[in-house]
Amino acid sequence: MIVKRPARRGYVAFVAVAATTAVLLPAATAEAGGTKLTHNQAAAKLRSAGITWSSSGNCSDRNRRTCTSFTRINSGTVDGIITFKRASGCKVNITGGTETGHAGGTYSHWNGYKVDITPTTCVNRYIKREFTYIGKRGDGAAMYRSSAGNVYANEGNHWDITYK
């Protein structure tokens, strides 16, 4: 007999009653966001993956809209953009992180679920070729969904990406 029981965060343990070993599998309802990172933690991970970032204010203050901050970004968001870079083979430059000035909501920039990236020929081609077009957002941005469920919205001067 197999019994489902709570395990460490983000996993469900399936335990065979007669066995002494539990197997940890990703839970369907796991929090996809992961842990909150500091700006420096996220920047180090992004830098080591070859991802760049820029801001019009040349700063990283979360409370200034002209900065690009990673303060309190979800580890899953950072992992997601790293995965995108590796899978696409494209250069990736982040232009928006967790700084103020973006739309609110549960899956928002401020809450660590989104990044904006520079549109390039490589990025545009990869998203449109590999992901499923799912229609237009209320603001007219064309949206594409990856097989992992992440949503890429083309806002013209950048791609707004949501990692759930």
Side-chain angles (χ1 to χ4, degrees):
M1 182 166 123
I2 296 181
V3 178
K4 178 179 170 184
R5 71 172 191 191
R8 70 175 204 237
R9 184 175 168 189
Y11 289 85
V12 174
F14 289 92
V15 182
V17 174
T20 59
T21 307
V23 177
L24 293 179
L25 300 172
T29 58
E31 290 183 38
T35 60
K36 297 293 185 184
L37 301 177
T38 66
H39 178 83
N40 289 338
Q41 288 171 324
K45 286 182 75 170
L46 294 166
R47 188 177 300 110
S48 70
I51 295 175
T52 60
W53 57 93
S54 57
S55 71
S56 58
N58 195 26
C59 51
S60 61
D61 183 342
R62 178 172 162 86
N63 296 303
R64 289 183 50 203
R65 65 184 323 125
T66 58
C67 297
T68 297
S69 176
F70 304 127
T71 301
R72 299 202 41 79
I73 196 167
N74 295 325
S75 59
T77 301
V78 173
D79 293 342
I81 195 64
I82 291 170
T83 298
F84 173 82
K85 182 193 185 308
R86 289 181 179 152
S88 68
C90 300
K91 290 182 181 179
V92 173
N93 180 65
I94 298 174
T95 59
T98 60
E99 66 280 348
T100 191
H102 300 281
T106 301
Y107 297 105
S108 65
H109 282 271
W110 185 261
N111 288 336
Y113 290 92
K114 290 186 166 206
V115 291
D116 292 340
I117 65 171
T118 303
T120 65
T121 301
C122 182
V123 166
N124 297 346
R125 185 179 300 135
Y126 183 82
I127 292 170
K128 292 176 181 180
R129 182 183 68 229
E130 298 297 325
F131 301 152
T132 304
Y133 176 74
I134 57 171
K136 293 192 184 263
R137 215 167 50 183
D139 62 1
M143 297 184 298
Y144 298 81
R145 180 174 286 126
S146 73
S147 60
N150 305 315
V151 176
Y152 295 70
N154 186 347
E155 294 188 5
N157 64 350
H158 66 272
W159 283 94
D160 176 76
I161 309 169
T162 308
Y163 293 100
K164 291 186 180 180

